[in-house]
Amino acid sequence: MNGAAPAAAPAVGPLQALSSLCFTTFFLLWTFVYGIFFSIACLLLPFRGRFELARVWARVILTVLRWTCRLDYRVEGRENLPPGNHIALIKHSSSWETVAQALLLPPHVWVLKRELTWIPFVGWGIKLLRAIAIDRGSGSSAVRGVLEQGKARLAEGEWIVVFPEGTRMPFGETRKYGVSGALLASETGCLVVPIAHNAGHYWPRRGLIKRPGTIRVVIGPPITAAGRNPRDINAEAQAWIEAHSGL
């Protein structure tokens, strides 16, 4: 990231590996058990109430992560979140941000691959949170789905969260950003809020080991998108995010 780099993480030893295994076991069990409770409780709650329950789920996970793996986080740039509801583009390099997003932003829905909605109980909870589930292999029809559902969610006062890379990338790498978030912002006049972090260094994609340290999250200045070419919006957002997502 720009500025001072975080201190190098201590070497991972057997104790850290055991702590990571304990955390992962808790993560899976907690998500399954809470998913059952969440699915039942949400039948009686409006969206904002459901979202608050999702925040409880996330807060517990990040607290246990800090206790077991000594992995914490800090957020910079909260003052850059504009009034109203807009579109956030978030770097995707870890499972960490899929949990932490509930605590980083106002009530929102996110764009995700539809396969996640097929997970027992968890998938039902995702549907209750009104996520925009897409078939990533369907090309233009997936983009149309994001536009149609995204416009409806924005009109109802919710933020939209997009992981523009479409999949978790190895730390320090990126790929072409998908067009749906930028196109939605261009057509609706919403702002694009870029969010960078270095979680992939501490919690690598597909990695069991969680390194101790402090994840740094930076919320960037909003990007004006109304009427602009989505490719130009993406280029600006990607340049900022990738410049602030390294060590």
Side-chain angles (χ1 to χ4, degrees):
M1 288 186 178
N2 291 344
V12 175
L15 184 59
Q16 190 69 24
L18 178 60
S19 298
S20 298
L21 178 60
C22 290
F23 168 75
T24 300
T25 302
F26 170 82
F27 186 6
L28 295 175
L29 289 175
W30 169 246
T31 299
F32 178 74
V33 173
Y34 196 79
I36 297 174
F37 161 75
F38 183 85
S39 298
I40 297 171
C42 283
L43 296 176
L44 306 174
L45 293 172
F47 174 76
R48 295 301 172 101
R50 299 173 187 177
F51 193 82
E52 289 305 316
L53 287 182
R55 280 179 165 163
V56 171
W57 168 80
R59 191 172 290 111
V60 168
I61 288 174
L62 296 186
T63 298
V64 174
L65 179 64
R66 184 176 72 248
W67 290 348
T68 56
C69 300
R70 295 175 292 139
L71 180 54
D72 205 351
Y73 72 99
R74 73 174 186 270
V75 182
E76 303 169 19
R78 288 192 185 275
E79 68 278 4
N80 287 326
L81 291 175
N85 56 306
H86 300 276
I87 299 165
L89 301 186
I90 304 181
K91 176 67 180 177
H92 202 17
S93 62
S94 172
S95 295
W96 181 86
E97 61 270 15
T98 63
V99 177
Q101 67 182 43
L103 305 178
L104 298 177
L105 291 164
H108 59 266
V109 302
W110 67 101
V111 179
L112 47 76
K113 58 184 180 181
R114 65 176 182 177
E115 289 84 354
L116 293 176
T117 65
W118 301 342
I119 303 172
F121 296 106
V122 173
W124 178 239
I126 289 173
K127 291 179 181 179
L128 288 171
L129 286 171
R130 310 183 67 208
I132 300 173
I134 61 169
D135 177 3
R136 291 190 302 184
S138 63
S140 59
S141 65
V143 174
R144 286 195 301 271
V146 173
L147 289 177
E148 293 171 3
Q149 296 180 63
K151 288 176 180 179
R153 303 290 194 275
L154 288 167
E156 293 165 359
E158 297 154 14
W159 280 67
I160 306 293
V161 168
V162 179
F163 296 110
E165 290 157 307
T167 189
R168 289 174 293 170
M169 299 298 298
F171 180 68
E173 298 182 18
T174 188
R175 63 187 291 182
K176 181 180 179 181
Y177 277 21
V179 72
S180 59
L183 182 58
L184 179 62
S186 176
E187 292 194 2
T188 60
C190 288
L191 298 170
V192 168
V193 178
I195 300 179
H197 60 83
N198 60 352
H201 173 69
Y202 299 98
W203 182 341
R205 68 167 193 160
R206 302 172 187 163
L208 172 65
I209 304 299
K210 283 73 176 172
R211 297 179 180 274
T214 301
I215 294 167
R216 184 183 175 203
V217 181
V218 184
I219 301 173
I223 297 170
T224 301
R228 294 178 60 190
N229 187 313
R231 286 190 290 269
D232 294 337
I233 299 168
N234 266 347
E236 184 175 348
Q238 186 166 19
W240 189 94
I241 290 172
E242 299 308 323
H244 291 78
S245 291
L247 286 175

